[in-house]
Amino acid sequence: MAADNSQHKRPVRSYVIRSGRLTDSQRKALDTHWDAHVVEFKNHSLDLDKLFPQSGSISLEIGIGMGASLLAMAQQEPNTNFLGIEVHKPGIGKVLHEIESIGLNNLKLICHDAKEVIETGIANQSIDRLLILFPDPWPKKRHHKRRLVQPQFVELLASKLKQEGVLHLATDWEPYAEHMMEVLEANPSLKNEMGTGKYWEQPQRPATKFEARGKRLGHGVWDLLFTKTA
Ligand SMILES: C[S@@+](CC[C@H](N)C(=O)[O-])C[C@H]1O[C@@H](n2cnc3c(N)ncnc32)[C@H](O)[C@@H]1O
């Protein structure tokens, strides 16, 4: 008789932990500044208002990579509080280094799987803006299940947004852009700010590292901007 492994199925992850080397500055920042700016997540509910010294609207970015866009936004919008989620340690180290050298007090990080953080850590209707910029496109068909943007996850994301809160996605991979559009437009609590089926042609957001890579490879860029309506 075949063994029943259903209890032990590993979750499908949207990332692979790369063994990327840390630079000296990233390692030092991880050692020195972790406690000050990284929120430890232990499958508990987070009190977002208590994370930041000043109250303000909350923007949450999933998969910050090396954090270029998050750092730029946190500087441009000092009255907004930013939370960045990333599993990749070099990116966390890089952002910690910059938080200290710039002197930012409106940016915190979580180094954990964003799906778990969003599910158990974030209260419903608590986020003003959610960003997922250039998530791993997982272009091979057999890997599509690893893509972050899926109906169930988008439903979860929508539940975390405040009324009129925004969901901003971007990708440099056209088939993923089409998939994102399909998934977001099928969600009854989200509305495409650009009009049905339309992308955000002139998005207001800083450039990202992965976007620059895509451009070097000749890829296009597709941004999607939806608001929570119900
Ligand atoms: C393609 S990179 C893009 C990074 C950045 N947004 C940019 O545009 O340069 C996607 C990032 O998302 C992170 N990521 C993927 N799935 C994640 C998850 N479930 N939780 C946290 N981070 C995740 C990866 O580690 C990776 O750094």
Side-chain angles (χ1 to χ4, degrees):
M1 195 168 66
D4 177 9
N5 290 324
S6 55
Q7 302 277 311
H8 307 289
K9 262 197 193 156
R10 273 188 289 162
V12 177
R13 299 284 187 205
S14 55
Y15 54 86
V16 175
I17 295 284
R18 287 157 280 152
S19 54
R21 285 239 304 270
L22 291 164
T23 64
D24 288 345
S25 130
Q26 289 161 2
R27 188 184 306 280
K28 190 163 169 234
L30 287 168
D31 289 344
T32 319
H33 307 308
W34 180 280
D35 290 346
H37 309 295
V38 178
V39 179
E40 287 295 346
F41 177 70
K42 304 251 183 266
N43 286 309
H44 65 295
S45 164
L46 300 164
D47 187 344
L48 297 181
D49 291 331
K50 289 215 176 113
L51 295 184
F52 299 95
Q54 285 165 25
S55 61
S57 65
I58 306 247
S59 283
L60 189 156
E61 184 178 347
I62 294 173
I64 65 169
M66 297 308 282
S69 53
L70 186 62
L71 284 160
M73 289 187 291
Q75 288 172 85
Q76 285 162 10
E77 301 173 44
N79 297 322
T80 300
N81 289 323
F82 288 87
L83 185 58
I85 310 179
E86 175 56 62
V87 287
H88 187 52
K89 283 264 173 60
I92 298 282
K94 164 84 177 149
V95 177
L96 286 176
H97 176 80
E98 297 296 330
I99 289 176
E100 282 291 320
S101 45
I102 301 164
L104 292 169
N105 67 359
N106 61 337
L107 203 175
K108 298 280 177 195
L109 301 171
I110 297 181
C111 188
H112 196 92
D113 185 329
K115 283 187 176 176
E116 293 176 8
V117 178
I118 302 284
E119 192 163 1
T120 37
I122 305 292
N124 286 349
Q125 307 219 25
S126 62
I127 306 290
D128 296 273
R129 173 172 45 174
L130 258 164
L131 301 115
I132 312 182
L133 303 178
F134 305 91
D136 299 277
W138 293 111
K140 291 183 183 151
K141 195 154 194 278
R142 69 173 191 278
H143 288 150
H144 283 183
K145 58 181 179 293
R146 285 177 171 269
R147 286 176 170 173
L148 260 182
V149 180
Q150 309 282 2
Q152 229 184 326
F153 188 54
V154 166
E155 199 178 326
L156 186 67
L157 293 177
S159 72
K160 305 300 169 181
L161 282 173
K162 290 180 188 167
Q163 203 69 358
E164 304 301 323
V166 305
L167 178 58
H168 181 179
L169 307 184
T171 180
D172 66 332
W173 190 247
E174 191 166 13
Y176 198 13
E178 289 164 357
H179 171 77
M180 288 174 172
M181 185 63 84
E182 203 176 304
V183 171
L184 266 57
E185 292 211 320
N187 186 298
S189 35
L190 295 173
K191 173 176 161 247
N192 189 342
E193 277 304 294
M194 299 299 128
T196 307
K198 297 218 169 74
Y199 296 95
W200 192 7
E201 297 294 343
Q202 287 172 330
Q204 284 156 31
R205 62 162 175 81
T208 84
K209 193 172 173 199
F210 201 79
E211 173 179 24
R213 172 192 170 274
K215 284 185 172 164
R216 280 197 304 275
L217 294 171
H219 298 178
V221 171
W222 294 267
D223 280 71
L224 296 86
L225 186 70
F226 281 65
T227 45
K228 160 97 171 266
T229 55

